[in-house]
Amino acid sequence: MRAQRRCLELKERGEKVDFETLLGEIRQRDYNDSHRAVSPMTPAADAILLDSSDMTEAEVTARVVALARERMGR
């Protein structure tokens, strides 16, 4: 989960962080970004959505590379 990764990152930098507060902030920011009046963030029509919540960095990288190769016909 993105909030868990961010929480660990902040703690490693020595910052005090409350997970629930951080999670709420991320959810609010995502909502604001996707619901703003001008230029709301939305996926491109040909986007591939990849839920990396339960994936390691290596797994995400491997999946993205595999998807890119599929798109390129390799």
Side-chain angles (χ1 to χ4, degrees):
M1 179 185 267
R2 196 172 51 167
Q4 289 173 324
R5 289 191 300 263
R6 181 69 175 145
C7 190
L8 287 173
E9 178 184 297
L10 292 172
K11 286 181 179 180
E12 287 173 358
R13 292 186 352 203
E15 297 183 37
K16 288 187 178 183
V17 60
D18 176 70
F19 176 77
E20 293 301 323
T21 300
L22 179 64
L23 179 60
E25 290 170 354
I26 289 173
R27 286 181 174 160
Q28 185 64 50
R29 187 170 52 247
D30 287 350
Y31 179 86
N32 292 345
D33 287 346
S34 63
H35 288 82
R36 60 186 177 221
V38 177
S39 238
M41 292 187 74
T42 57
D46 64 344
I48 297 172
L49 301 181
L50 176 62
D51 181 0
S52 62
S53 297
D54 297 318
M55 299 171 76
T56 66
E57 287 182 45
E59 290 170 330
V60 172
T61 301
R63 184 68 182 129
V64 169
V65 168
L67 289 166
R69 287 185 174 142
E70 286 175 23
R71 283 262 172 119
M72 294 169 41
R74 292 184 183 179

